[in-house]
Amino acid sequence: MTDIVKELRAGATISDVLRVQQSYHEQRRWGTDAVIGGRRLTNAHHADRAALYHSSRAELTTQPAGLRLAVDGVKLANELRDSNPLGSQVLHIAAAWSARYWLEEEAHHEIAFGRLLDMAGLDEISTDEVVHCRNPLPADNYARICVLQACVEIEACVSYDWVSRNSQDPLLKEVFRTVMKDEVQHRTYFVSFAKALVDSGVYPIKDVLSMAYSWVRPDGGETLGGTRSAQTERDGHVNWWEHTREGGDLAIGHEALIGEAVHRKKVTSVFALVREATGIQTESYEDLKRAYFASLRTNDVDRIRSAVRAGAEKEAVPAGQRGGVHRE
């Protein structure tokens, strides 16, 4: 159910949507015992151990985000109950999914990677490190957090897919592939919530575009992770994708992090996110920049699209031919 506002306007209730969420969750659910059982790693190489070192820690950081989305969603929903009933329903739906399903599914990922970490002969994550990774997510508006989490899920999808394709160990390939499929669905849910928050008038389009813009900008965007010269101040919250160059000889290599194919897949996935959440087509960083800047002046989708199109058309014309003047 990716168009929540359309469903609510057509007569669906919160309970109807929650039943769909529950049904889909039950159909997709997998268990760490069922997948891993008594199996062992048989062909795990150094790159696999590096992937496990970082992925097991990255999954620890999802709990604070899930808690904030659950608590803040209900709080904001109650504040909007009279002034924006439709938006209030959207927030109850998003908060319920975060509390019930996202947190539970991410717990599977955390435990599965932790078990493989032990099998690979790596040290267990210390208590201090677990506690450090549970630091709360900084406050922000709900739409921006949904887009942020969608972008984080994209990072996980692309990274885990890379591991599953390049590993030679059957169990590790299966676990990373299984977790990756979950992250794809999480990304879809977060995008649907961002779209619903815009469609219901809780937040303007600029909040979706601003987060997407900050994520992919070439001069320090989040997709560059730990390779950036300066990291974002997060008030204690750990974004593990900024730490993947750490771990000594277990640091993740350039190719797996920001190799051309990997990085391109991350960026194009963010463009797809923008299209799904706002209806605005962007095919490059320049397009997204134009869309974001236009959204600072207007919340009208057609006008933002027009600004993107006009900028792209202008850029396509050789400098000497702009304005109808051709210079030899």
Side-chain angles (χ1 to χ4, degrees):
M1 190 176 287
T2 57
D3 196 338
I4 298 170
V5 168
K6 179 181 177 181
E7 299 289 344
L8 293 174
R9 285 174 172 161
T13 65
I14 292 177
S15 293
D16 292 330
V17 179
L18 298 186
R19 287 170 186 166
V20 172
Q21 289 181 354
Q22 177 68 29
S23 176
Y24 194 56
H25 173 75
E26 290 180 4
Q27 292 173 42
R28 295 179 48 256
R29 191 66 267 129
W30 59 278
T32 57
D33 286 342
V35 172
I36 298 176
R39 300 165 66 188
R40 307 297 298 176
L41 298 177
T42 58
N43 195 23
H45 295 170
H46 180 78
D48 298 326
R49 290 192 290 275
L52 287 171
Y53 177 91
H54 292 285
S55 298
S56 59
R57 287 163 171 79
E59 294 296 336
L60 287 172
T61 68
T62 58
Q63 180 177 300
L67 293 173
R68 177 171 287 282
L69 284 164
V71 173
D72 287 2
V74 173
K75 179 181 178 181
L76 183 55
N78 290 334
E79 291 174 359
L80 296 177
R81 183 171 52 190
D82 295 327
S83 61
N84 188 342
L86 181 60
S88 177
Q89 292 179 64
V90 168
L91 285 156
H92 275 298
I93 289 165
W97 178 81
S98 297
R100 295 175 176 178
Y101 310 119
W102 190 45
L103 281 171
E104 193 266 351
E105 291 175 12
E106 293 293 347
H108 278 65
H109 306 169
E110 178 183 317
I111 299 303
F113 285 145
R115 290 176 67 173
L116 294 187
L117 191 76
D118 292 342
M119 290 184 194
L122 296 171
D123 291 340
E124 184 180 74
I125 301 174
S126 70
T127 296
D128 287 345
E129 194 170 358
V130 171
V131 172
H132 178 59
C133 287
R134 303 298 199 200
N135 284 335
L137 189 74
D140 204 334
N141 80 46
Y142 209 92
R144 281 176 50 87
I145 291 179
C146 284
V147 176
L148 179 150
Q149 292 303 148
C151 290
V152 171
E153 300 291 357
I154 287 171
E155 294 283 325
C157 290
V158 176
S159 298
Y160 296 170
D161 181 58
W162 193 93
V163 176
S164 71
R165 291 176 183 274
N166 287 277
S167 175
Q168 300 302 310
D169 186 274
L171 176 57
L172 191 140
K173 286 173 71 73
E174 182 177 347
V175 171
F176 269 92
R177 183 71 178 174
T178 300
V179 173
M180 184 271 289
K181 291 179 179 179
D182 276 357
E183 309 293 29
V184 170
Q185 298 305 323
H186 297 169
R187 175 257 184 215
T188 301
Y189 270 110
F190 282 121
V191 174
S192 74
F193 298 147
K195 171 178 169 56
L197 290 167
V198 170
D199 290 349
S200 60
V202 179
Y203 294 101
I205 291 173
K206 71 177 180 66
D207 288 330
V208 172
L209 296 175
S210 65
M211 183 59 71
Y213 169 75
S214 68
W215 205 267
V216 302
R217 57 190 175 87
D219 57 345
E222 302 286 347
T223 56
L224 300 176
T227 65
R228 295 185 298 174
S229 59
Q231 300 296 344
T232 304
E233 177 57 48
R234 302 189 187 279
D235 299 325
H237 177 70
V238 177
N239 173 12
W240 194 262
W241 300 106
E242 295 176 339
H243 296 266
T244 48
R245 304 307 293 269
E246 300 174 9
D249 65 346
L250 292 174
I252 296 181
H254 179 92
E255 182 183 1
L257 275 178
I258 58 169
E260 183 177 352
V262 170
H263 188 255
R264 183 62 186 168
K265 187 176 290 186
K266 293 177 182 179
V267 172
T268 55
S269 295
V270 174
F271 297 153
L273 177 164
V274 169
R275 182 184 67 252
E276 294 166 29
T278 69
I280 299 167
Q281 181 77 27
T282 58
E283 298 181 358
S284 67
Y285 162 74
E286 289 74 18
D287 281 350
L288 182 54
K289 182 177 180 179
R290 294 184 191 104
Y292 170 50
F293 285 3
S295 74
L296 298 177
R297 302 186 300 270
T298 179
N299 197 47
D300 185 278
V301 174
D302 289 335
R303 292 178 65 185
I304 297 173
R305 287 174 179 156
S306 178
V308 172
R309 186 166 53 252
E313 290 172 350
K314 181 179 179 181
E315 190 175 76
V317 176
Q321 297 180 26
R322 293 174 188 168
V325 179
H326 177 69
R327 295 181 177 85
E328 295 293 335

